[in-house]
Amino acid sequence: MDVKIEASWKEALKSEFEQSYFQQLTDFVRSEYQSQTIYPPAKQIFNAFDRSPFEDVKVVILGQDPYHGPGQANGLCFSVNDGVQHPPSLQNIFKEIKGDLDIDIPKSGNLERWADQGVLLLNATLTVRAHQAGSHQKKGWEEFTDAVIRTLAEEREGLVFILWGSFAQKKGGMIDSKKHLILKSPHPSPLSAHRGFFGKKHFSQTNAYLESKGEAPITW
């Protein structure tokens, strides 16, 4: 089927797009957009892929669900649109960057600037109903995003996978730590960040690893 996604990802994931589960997922998502308020906007479902082509990916950060409030979700995990108040997890991410790299907390929570440098900001589920967290889970998105992680882990080398929280760590269980750097910590949510998210210095560790591989560091 013809999926409107960046060309290199279309090639890398072409076998997934032919699977019956993906056809069922597409039918479900299309009907939801027609009958409900769904986030992110339809044209931004694959924003993470469109901004980070397959061969350009250096870092993968795994999230779970898009934000389900008006104007927040833009297809990148943890990211919100310009002018939108920083959600609590994103506030804590910026606090950790400040503590790790002494970079001031930005006014905008729009992480497109990371995505454009090769940071794949991947939610496990790419769509959600307004005000209904988890409403599009177990519809096929998880199978698709597992395939994304598996394809990157198998076909690329020297990537950084940042896995915050038990959900992301379980989802990233197939990644070979001999081929890639895997960074783990509790989730940045206020419910868990105090258990060890702060002080892990994942951002400086990522850059040190990339530089050791001859890659440009990320401007966080």
Side-chain angles (χ1 to χ4, degrees):
M1 62 183 299
D2 184 32
V3 179
K4 289 182 172 58
I5 192 171
E6 191 275 332
S8 64
W9 281 108
K10 194 168 192 174
E11 177 63 23
L13 300 170
K14 59 185 177 184
S15 61
E16 292 304 306
F17 298 139
E18 302 307 320
Q19 306 264 353
S20 59
Y21 88 84
F22 195 85
Q23 181 63 62
Q24 292 166 5
L25 170 63
T26 300
D27 292 343
F28 167 75
V29 170
R30 188 176 289 124
S31 69
E32 285 283 283
Y33 273 95
Q34 289 169 353
S35 62
Q36 306 287 334
T37 300
I38 305 298
Y39 301 125
K43 67 180 185 298
Q44 290 188 312
I45 292 174
F46 294 117
N47 195 23
F49 303 89
D50 295 338
R51 289 187 169 272
S52 303
F54 184 77
E55 292 299 334
D56 294 349
V57 173
K58 298 178 180 180
V59 182
V60 181
I61 298 179
L62 283 184
Q64 193 161 356
D65 235 21
Y67 296 120
H68 52 82
Q72 290 182 301
N74 61 9
L76 309 175
C77 71
F78 296 108
S79 174
V80 291
N81 288 310
D82 295 327
V84 175
Q85 184 176 357
H86 299 175
S89 291
L90 184 58
Q91 289 179 30
N92 285 338
I93 290 168
F94 286 150
K95 284 178 188 173
E96 173 62 8
I97 292 172
K98 171 70 174 169
D100 185 4
L101 295 168
D102 197 28
I103 295 173
D104 288 337
I105 293 173
K107 286 189 172 68
S108 175
N110 191 333
L111 303 182
E112 288 177 346
R113 60 186 181 275
W114 295 2
D116 291 342
Q117 298 176 76
V119 182
L120 183 68
L121 295 161
L122 182 66
N123 275 317
T125 304
L126 300 189
T127 53
V128 69
R129 277 190 188 186
H131 311 299
Q132 296 184 43
S135 49
H136 283 189
Q137 291 177 5
K138 298 182 172 59
K139 302 294 185 183
W141 278 131
E142 293 90 344
E143 191 171 345
F144 174 71
T145 50
D146 280 352
V148 172
I149 296 163
R150 186 171 59 249
T151 302
L152 281 168
E154 291 175 357
E155 296 186 16
R156 298 285 313 279
E157 284 190 31
L159 302 182
V160 182
F161 288 87
I162 299 178
L163 309 178
W164 293 326
S166 57
F167 176 87
Q169 288 159 27
K170 185 176 179 183
K171 192 169 179 70
M174 85 257 306
I175 303 162
D176 184 350
S177 60
K178 296 190 180 82
K179 282 179 68 178
H180 306 284
L181 177 64
I182 302 172
L183 299 175
K184 300 179 181 180
S185 81
H187 195 277
S189 159
L191 298 173
S192 54
H194 62 280
R195 298 196 206 117
F197 173 76
F198 294 115
K200 275 289 194 289
K201 300 187 181 297
H202 282 174
F203 303 96
S204 58
Q205 286 186 65
T206 293
N207 281 351
Y209 180 81
L210 291 175
E211 290 181 297
S212 78
K213 300 288 183 181
E215 296 281 357
I218 305 299
T219 301
W220 299 106

